Amino acid sequence: MRVSIWLYILEQTGLTLCLLLTAGLSAGLRQKSPLRLLLISAAVGCLCAALTGAAPLLRASALLACAVCAPLLAWPSAPKRIRPRLIAAGCFLSLGTTGLLRLLTSFPLLPAVMVLLCCLALRAAPMLLLRPEETPRLATVDVRHGQHHLTLTALIDSGNLLRDTVTGLPVIVISKRAAERLVQLPPEGRLTYPFRLLTVRTISGTSLMTVFHPDSVCLLCPEGWVRVETLLGVSPEGYDGFQALVPASLMHQAPEQLPALRT
């Protein structure tokens, strides 16, 4: 039986693309780069074609390495706490897809039909891998202040209800490490322009948070980049989780849509 190598690569590329999309959704990563996903999927498809005549152990090892590395390459900015879930989802889905394909080969089905059935099964997989209420909602935040530019992966936090008492603007909380990459923070115990202090309540009690108004803040939403009016607050407590906490209220606004950002 002769099989077109180009058709085989196309099938493997389609399956890998569906697998990466499902792995990202299972890990709570909804933002994606279509071109990056397509290139990675095509590379995996070509690798699968190159390994068709390889020893079973070598082929299995290479495909397992792809299952681990491909999701990380597809979402290079994924927070560290999400990466183990992303890798686990990629490996689980790869093994499950392989088993499903072997099962379908026992039926008199066309290869295209088998690929379609696998893609439909992958589409339903996120509901089995992770309950919707456990899925963290993420956002990409682009901040510009002076000559500095910073892109952060943020958690959309419904518990972040901070608002500036002077301007009434919501406050995006960022880590001290991220803030130091954007602006020179004032010395401990001193306050210089453009910084102000905002009284906040945390788990440990009441404290003061340093806040300032950046030149621009943009959020990456499904409809594209949108500009929002907000202050940035430097977290008074260190944390190793997400780089920023975005108030959920900002995601419900309808700010002006922006053209593609300049890098």
Side-chain angles (χ1 to χ4, degrees), residues 189-207:
R190 296 181 57 187
L191 197 62
T192 58
Y193 180 83
F195 301 99
R196 293 191 287 107
L197 293 178
L198 180 66
T199 302
V200 298
R201 292 182 180 179
T202 63
I203 298 177
S204 58
T206 303
S207 61

Side-chain angles (χ1 to χ4, degrees), residues 151-234:
T151 301
L152 304 172
T153 299
L155 173 68
I156 301 175
D157 185 11
S158 58
N160 181 2
L161 304 177
L162 290 177
R163 283 190 176 272
D164 180 36
T165 54
V166 177
T167 62
L169 294 176
V171 179
I172 295 179
V173 181
I174 64 175
S175 66
K176 184 178 180 181
R177 181 181 301 178
E180 289 174 342
R181 296 166 52 193
L182 186 65
V183 67
Q184 184 175 356
L185 297 177
E188 189 71 25
R190 296 181 57 187
L191 197 62
T192 58
Y193 180 83
F195 301 99
R196 293 191 287 107
L197 293 178
L198 180 66
T199 302
V200 298
R201 292 182 180 179
T202 63
I203 298 177
S204 58
T206 303
S207 61
L208 294 176
M209 175 183 291
T210 302
V211 298
F212 66 99
H213 196 297
D215 291 342
S216 71
V217 177
C218 300
L219 296 177
L220 182 56
C221 298
E223 63 271 18
W225 287 102
V226 291
R227 189 188 304 274
V228 294
E229 282 298 324
T230 179
L231 297 182
L232 292 184
V234 183

Side-chain angles (χ1 to χ4, degrees), residues 106-131:
S106 61
F107 298 94
L109 299 175
L110 294 175
V113 175
M114 291 190 291
V115 172
L116 178 60
L117 291 176
C118 285
C119 291
L120 292 176
L122 286 171
R123 181 65 184 88
M127 295 182 291
L128 303 176
L129 292 174
L130 190 66
R131 294 197 301 269

Side-chain angles (χ1 to χ4, degrees), residues 12-97:
Q12 294 299 318
T13 299
L15 283 174
T16 303
L17 181 61
C18 292
L19 189 149
L20 289 176
L21 290 171
T22 304
L25 289 174
S26 302
L29 302 173
R30 300 184 180 277
Q31 301 298 340
K32 51 189 177 293
S33 171
L35 180 59
R36 182 188 292 117
L37 287 173
L38 185 59
L39 290 176
I40 295 173
S41 301
V44 174
C46 293
L47 180 61
C48 291
L51 294 172
T52 51
L57 181 59
L58 175 61
R59 179 178 173 83
S61 300
L63 294 181
L64 180 60
C66 287
V68 173
C69 298
L72 297 179
L73 294 175
W75 281 273
S77 60
K80 293 182 179 179
R81 60 182 297 181
I82 298 296
R83 292 177 185 176
R85 189 193 303 271
L86 191 60
I87 294 174
C91 293
F92 176 82
L93 291 170
S94 297
L95 294 175
T97 303

